[in-house]
């Protein structure tokens, strides 16, 4: 029976504008950064690092918002809940998301913290090192959660990054309750190992309560969550606790486990990796788009792999190619 929900997916996440610049390894080392990682910074550090960066390109980002942008490109009905400020970057973020066909009506904050931005340094090997100033995004309170919107969506998709601030953590916890009471599914992405280091106990408790229907992770994250050093041991520990576990493995492809069955796909071939920003976000977009359309798990994984390939072949986390056509060609 076809769904009567207004949206396939409503996501809650950080509303961020990405500032992306090329950088060599010497700059990464000089700044004392761990290449390929993400760290949180304050306003002063954001200003200082911006001065040290080379020429940059600004584009709307945010993990969950990137996923929705990909899903919308694939023809799914999407809505976003996230906090921007009433400033120039907030206007850019709002315009970009709505232009892509994603419903976005969270009122901007007037005064106080500015819109969040992520300063991304991309090295010649395509690795991205992210430095995030959360700004207004971490001020998303429970009063900003549109409960009717969540109840009218098939899937609630939550971004692990936003679990860090106390205000937004409480908002997301309420959103989970609303979605489950309405009979919707809850999907959660772990986002980064440092978030698990800070909130692993929370995540393990939520999983034990059976509150996640779909869990997204990469190899590092699943090991951190399971407190295991061996990948297969980590998967074996977590998979029985969630109805659907999806783990990306970069060049080794991806796996999904559901009902005791394991499905694997290889990474899609690519001539050159340009920028890995948004790879996991777009993988989730492809997978969730397939899942929302009732496709088999193998197709969902393939759709995720195609979307991830397209995004790492370009600069930035929003697709510049026709994802729908690329997926249709691959699944034909």
């Amino acid at each position: 029976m076809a769904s009567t929900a207004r949206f396939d997916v409503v996501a809650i996440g950080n509303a961020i504008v990405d500032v992306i610049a090329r950088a060599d390894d010497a700059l990464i080392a000089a700044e004392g950064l761990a290449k390929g990682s993400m760290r949180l910074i304050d306003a002063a550090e954001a200003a200082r690092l911006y001065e040290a960066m080379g020429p940059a390109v600004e584009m709307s980002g945010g993990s969950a918002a990137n996923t929705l942008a990909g899903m919308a490109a694939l023809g799914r009905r999407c809505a976003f809940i996230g906090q921007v400020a009433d400033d120039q970057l907030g206007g850019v973020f709002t315009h970009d998301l709505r232009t892509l066909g994603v419903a976005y009506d969270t009122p901007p904050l007037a005064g106080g913290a500015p819109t969040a931005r992520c300063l991304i340094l991309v090295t010649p090997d395509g690795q991205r090192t992210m430095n995030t100033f959360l700004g207004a995004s971490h001020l998303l309170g429970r009063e900003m959660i549109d409960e009717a919107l969540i109840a009218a969506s098939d899937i609630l998709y939550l971004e692990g990054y936003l679990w860090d601030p106390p205000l937004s953590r409480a908002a997301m916890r309420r959103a989970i309750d609303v979605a489950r009471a309405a009979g919707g599914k809850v999907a959660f992405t772990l986002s980064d190992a440092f978030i698990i280091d800070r909130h692993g106990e929370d995540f393990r408790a939520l999983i034990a309560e059976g509150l996640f229907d779909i869990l997204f992770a990469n190899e590092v994250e699943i090991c951190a969550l399971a407190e295991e050093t061996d990948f297969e041991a980590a998967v074996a520990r977590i998979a029985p606790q969630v109805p659907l576990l999806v783990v990306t493995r970069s060049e080794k492809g991806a796996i999904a486990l559901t009902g005791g069955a394991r499905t694997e796909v290889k990474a899609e071939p690519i001539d050159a990796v340009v920028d890995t920003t948004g790879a996991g976000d777009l993988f989730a977009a492809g997978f969730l788009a397939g899942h929302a359309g009732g496709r088999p798990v193998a197709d969902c994984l393939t759709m995720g792999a195609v979307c991830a390939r397209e995004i790492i072949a370009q600069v930035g986390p929003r697709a510049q190619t026709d994802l729908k056509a690329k997926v249709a060609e691959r699944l034909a």
Side-chain angles (χ1 to χ4, degrees), residues 70 74 126 248-254 265-287 300-332:
L74 292 169
T248 57
R249 309 187 69 191
S250 299
E251 72 279 0
K252 291 176 280 188
V265 297
K266 296 179 179 179
E268 292 290 305
I270 184 172
D271 292 333
V273 175
V274 175
D275 174 13
T276 57
T277 305
D281 305 335
L282 269 291
F283 183 94
F287 188 96
C300 296
L301 286 170
T302 298
M303 291 173 68
V306 170
C307 291
R309 178 197 66 197
E310 292 302 302
I311 216 67
I312 65 177
Q314 62 166 61
V315 173
R318 301 285 172 89
Q320 298 162 24
T321 56
D322 187 340
L323 291 182
K324 198 171 187 178
K326 295 291 185 180
V327 166
E329 179 183 354
R330 178 64 176 79
L331 294 179

Side-chain angles (χ1 to χ4, degrees), residues 188 190 196 200 203-205 207-208 212-228 230-247 255 257-258:
F188 191 86
L190 291 171
I196 301 168
F203 297 160
R204 287 184 280 271
I207 290 169
F212 295 157
D213 299 286
I214 307 170
L215 181 66
F216 289 94
N218 63 25
E219 281 189 281
V220 174
E221 293 158 5
I222 199 67
C223 288
L225 181 68
E227 300 179 295
E228 298 277 0
D230 179 75
F231 172 72
E232 293 296 340
V235 169
R237 181 181 291 264
I238 301 300
Q241 301 181 61
V242 291
L244 176 55
L245 173 65
V246 183
V247 186
I255 67 171
L257 297 97
T258 181

Side-chain angles (χ1 to χ4, degrees), residues 54-74:
V57 175
E58 294 180 356
M59 58 183 67
S60 296
S63 177
N66 291 338
T67 295
L68 292 187
M71 292 189 70
L74 292 169

Side-chain angles (χ1 to χ4, degrees), residues 4 7 12 150 191 293 297 321:
T4 58
F7 295 101
I12 302 177
I150 293 170
S191 293
V297 171
T321 56

